């Protein structure tokens, strides 16, 4: 497998986390993956590989980096619109642990 943190098909851990943050915030998957220039079949492969790596990472290195990148990602416009535009939805409003449960 190589290094645990090596990109998967060119997609870094931080990119993967950023796309997932957008999806959780309400952006459609197809739209969220456009930002990193991939299609749905490639996203499925990349997502599955990163999830597998995270599950098997007993040092929790991936989880720590993922959480930081996920929480640093900007909120999606769709999520802000869902609140009536009164206040932007921050990544902190959807805790990492809840995202993991949802997955």
């Amino acid at each position: 497998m190589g290094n645990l943190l090596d990109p998967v098909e060119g997609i870094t851990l931080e990119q993967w986390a950023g796309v997932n943050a957008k999806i959780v915030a309400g952006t459609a998957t197809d739209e969220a993956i456009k930002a990193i220039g991939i299609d749905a079949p490639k996203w499925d492969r990349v997502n599955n590989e990163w999830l597998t790596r995270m599950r098997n990472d007993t040092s929790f290195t991936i989880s720590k980096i993922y959480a930081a990148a996920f929480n640093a990602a900007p909120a999606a416009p769709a999520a802000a619109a869902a609140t009536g535009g009164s206040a932007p939805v921050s990544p902190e409003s959807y805790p990492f642990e809840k995202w993991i449960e949802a997955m």
Side-chain angles (χ1 to χ4, degrees):
M1 173 171 71
N3 186 343
L4 184 67
L5 301 176
D6 284 349
V8 175
E9 295 191 40
I11 305 303
T12 66
L13 173 56
E14 293 82 3
Q15 288 174 306
W16 175 60
V19 169
N20 279 312
K22 289 179 183 179
I23 292 168
V24 167
T27 301
T29 301
D30 288 341
E31 187 174 325
I33 63 176
K34 282 182 190 176
I36 59 172
I38 65 173
D39 60 15
K42 184 171 181 176
W43 170 252
D44 290 341
R45 291 190 308 271
V46 167
N47 189 44
N48 287 332
E49 176 60 23
W50 277 118
L51 287 171
T52 299
R53 288 184 188 185
M54 184 182 281
R55 232 183 340 265
N56 295 328
D57 178 18
T58 57
S59 69
F60 300 100
T61 301
I62 291 175
S63 296
K64 291 173 191 171
I65 295 169
Y66 179 91
F70 184 91
N71 288 327
T83 65
S86 59
V89 175
S90 69
E92 292 79 22
S93 67
Y94 198 91
F96 174 68
E97 292 79 14
K98 292 291 184 189
W99 182 86
I100 292 297
E101 288 176 22
M103 291 303 292

